[in-house]
Amino acid sequence: MTENILVWVEQRNGQIRKAAGEVLFEARRLCTGSGGKLVAFLAGGNVAQLAATLARYRTDKILVADDPSLESYSTERYTEALVCAVKKENPRYVMAAHTAMSQDLIPRAAARTDSACVTDITELREENDVLRAVHPMYSGKVLGVFELTSPLSFLTLRPNVFPPDLPDEIHESEMEQLAFNPAPVRAQVVATVASTGVKVELSEAPIIVSGGRGIKGPEHWPMLQELCDVLGAALGASRAVVDAGWIDHQHQVGQSGKTVSPKLYIAVGISGAVQHLAGMSSSKVIVAINNNPDALIFQSATYGIVGDCLEIVPKLTSACRTLLSES
Amino acid sequence: MKIAVCVKSVPDTEAKISILADQLTFDHAGIKFITSPFDEYAIEAALQLKERYGGEITAFSLGGEEVVEVLRNTLARGVDNGVHIKDPEFAGADPLTAAKILAAAIDGGDFQLILCGQQGVGGDNSQVPAMLAELLDLPQATLVVALEIEADKFKAHCEIEGAHQIVQGTLPAVISTGKGLNEPRYPSIKGVMAARRKEIVIKDAAALGLSGQLTASQRKVKLIALNAPPARPSGKMIAGDPATQAHQLARLLREEAKVI
């Protein structure tokens, strides 16, 4: 059975989100297996040129909704555009990265089309010709395996989990403008304000350095930030220090914060409460630095150091700096 | 102002989840159920709006007996009415089914604002608020960390990766609440006493006009199995003085794990 896939490609400020690229690569793999067609769908204002760059993900077709009314995001208008694209292409699956914006858009589109929806997927596998989606539940203590039984299903994939492929710079793809009539909307984005104090954003960061109670106080964030700068890492934090007011909650990793899957997660002075592990246990390599040898975090760690993080982190920063300057 | 709040009863985040032999459910014995943490912000937002503009708040919760304590606790904080939606037909509802059930319960209630936590902790789907908005044909704002209501308009700060989007829209609307919106209050003793006298209205599939419509076999998403995650391979502890440890770690990250 040919199973066409339509990917909603999230862009911001004229840039394709890294996580959207991962979804395109995964969709390509599935289409190659099934013989289905890969359609990339991009919506926005003045995005035609950006859309053309999507061919490098080996798309069969690029569908663009390029309209001034899509310049700023509106749930209703984007839902309308996405559903219009879905009706036109009639895919078996609609896929997107699991992001804040897809949490707003994808379930709404799924409800409008009365379709299956599984979000925050960490694995897709075909069993007996049926696609099964794995979604971590209960703080990652359980993996739910779901089967999608409607003719159309919406799937969002966790960033940093599905491996990127090599782009194909010379691939050519059909491109088509989606005819779309913007109707009035009742709510829309009127401004976007960049968060202050965020150098590298957490959810798509390849490396994260997180601090907990063990860093002793907010005066030691610069110590962690320096390690972040050397590694190109994002700065994370445990719930305990967010609740203590040491740092803004947008840095929080864990159940009531962000779920992350970087290739490297360095937990500094974090004991490893279940609620923290929930947010980072799908990281590929985990480093734990903690002065308590019995800290739970060591059970999840790939590498562990028992010791005073205030002493170790600066030395780690300089060791990494030296190593990285050698290459 | 009439406000609806959707609350979900979820296992305490520290609870150990033991998957039962059917591989589809987990053992509820000994598990403490709590209000899903994101719903606490929804409840608090409703209470603050009521304090400012007056009105009435109704909490809706879908589930079995584990819901009762959560609804009592919600009422104890100052919410006026509690609706417990329960029916064996609704067991194991996926998000779209849950949204349809909640929409049926909320529709026609003349609510100006419908507040939900951004996700039910545990299921972690983050789907119901947007689905509910669609089914009720209302505008929405997701992952809201600041909210202003003025007459029939709202202004919401929605958290996205690395930024806030400011969404303006008209009421009625569905708002999904995120951490940072407010500091949820605890119930007062007086509130707890008052809550005991409040009646929790029970609605089943028949009362909602949904009999036989949303049963397990009609759902679009089927849970095939709950599996335990694969255990992480045991790690390597790095010994030595701090300088040796730091140097060793940097080298392992580069040469063995190849992640820096």
Side-chain angles (χ1 to χ4, degrees), chain A residues 12 100 104 108 114 119 135 138 141 143 145 147 149 186 190-191 193 249 252 255 281 302-304, chain B residues 13 15 100 122-123 125 134 137-138 140 142 161 164 166 179 220 222 224-225 227 232 236 238 254 256:
Chain A
R12 211 191 294 169
D104 186 78
R108 185 144 190 159
D114 198 23
T119 42
H135 161 63
Y138 303 103
K141 284 178 268 191
L143 299 177
V145 184
E147 200 170 277
T149 55
R186 294 163 293 184
V190 293
V193 186
H249 81 94
Q252 187 183 328
Q255 197 149 41
S281 56
T302 323
Y303 302 111
Chain B
T13 52
K100 286 176 180 175
N125 298 299
E134 171 63 21
D137 188 22
L138 295 177
Q140 71 185 51
T142 299
E161 297 81 7
H164 285 180
I166 299 164
K179 181 167 181 165
K220 323 270 181 193
K222 284 207 165 65
I224 299 302
N227 293 332
R232 290 188 78 95
K236 211 177 253 184
I238 302 168
R254 183 150 180 94
E256 187 177 81

Side-chain angles (χ1 to χ4, degrees), chain B residues 5 23 29 137 157-158 161 177 192 204 234:
Chain B
V5 187
Q23 287 224 317
D137 188 22
H157 288 236
C158 303
E161 297 81 7
T177 56
V192 173
D204 61 6
S234 59

Side-chain angles (χ1 to χ4, degrees), chain A residues 12 17 73 75-76 98-101 103-104 107-108 110-112 114-119 132 135 137-150 186-195 201 203 207 231 239 243 249-250 252 255-256 258 263-264 274 281 283-287 298 300-306 311-312 315-316 319-320 323-324 327, chain B residues 11-17 19 26 37-38 95-96 100 118-119 121-127 130-131 133-135 137-143 145 154 159-170 179-180 219-230 232-238 242-243 245-247 249-257 259-260:
Chain A
R12 211 191 294 169
R17 297 291 303 270
Y73 178 80
T75 314
E76 291 162 276
H98 187 67
T99 62
M101 278 169 81
Q103 280 177 46
D104 186 78
R108 185 144 190 159
R112 185 165 301 180
D114 198 23
S115 301
C117 185
V118 179
T119 42
R132 289 183 171 178
H135 161 63
M137 301 166 76
Y138 303 103
S139 333
K141 284 178 268 191
V142 174
L143 299 177
V145 184
F146 296 90
E147 200 170 277
L148 309 145
T149 55
S150 69
R186 294 163 293 184
Q188 87 170 72
V189 172
V190 293
T192 301
V193 186
S195 307
E201 209 284 317
S203 59
I207 302 178
L231 298 175
R239 172 173 152 182
D243 288 353
H249 81 94
Q250 64 192 336
Q252 187 183 328
Q255 197 149 41
S256 46
K258 294 194 170 70
K263 64 178 180 182
L264 172 59
V274 171
S281 56
S283 306
K284 280 155 211 88
V285 172
I286 295 172
V287 170
F298 286 120
S300 306
T302 323
Y303 302 111
I305 291 181
V306 177
E311 204 175 339
I312 289 158
K315 292 189 164 63
L316 179 62
C320 289
L323 264 185
L324 291 171
S327 55
Chain B
D12 185 354
T13 52
E14 299 291 329
K16 180 170 161 37
I17 304 289
I19 301 165
F26 62 89
F38 292 108
L96 183 56
K100 286 176 180 175
Q118 64 158 96
Q119 72 191 63
V121 160
D124 295 333
N125 298 299
S126 355
Q127 296 180 26
M131 288 174 161
E134 171 63 21
L135 297 168
D137 188 22
L138 295 177
Q140 71 185 51
T142 299
L143 257 162
V145 292
F154 73 87
E159 195 172 76
I160 60 170
E161 297 81 7
H164 285 180
Q165 284 183 327
I166 299 164
V167 176
Q168 277 184 355
T170 54
K179 181 167 181 165
R219 292 175 198 157
K220 323 270 181 193
V221 179
K222 284 207 165 65
L223 178 67
I224 299 302
L226 294 177
N227 293 332
R232 290 188 78 95
S234 59
K236 211 177 253 184
M237 295 304 288
I238 302 168
Q245 287 174 315
H247 185 76
L249 175 61
R251 204 181 50 74
L252 286 166
L253 291 176
R254 183 150 180 94
E255 289 164 15
E256 187 177 81
V259 287
I260 63 169

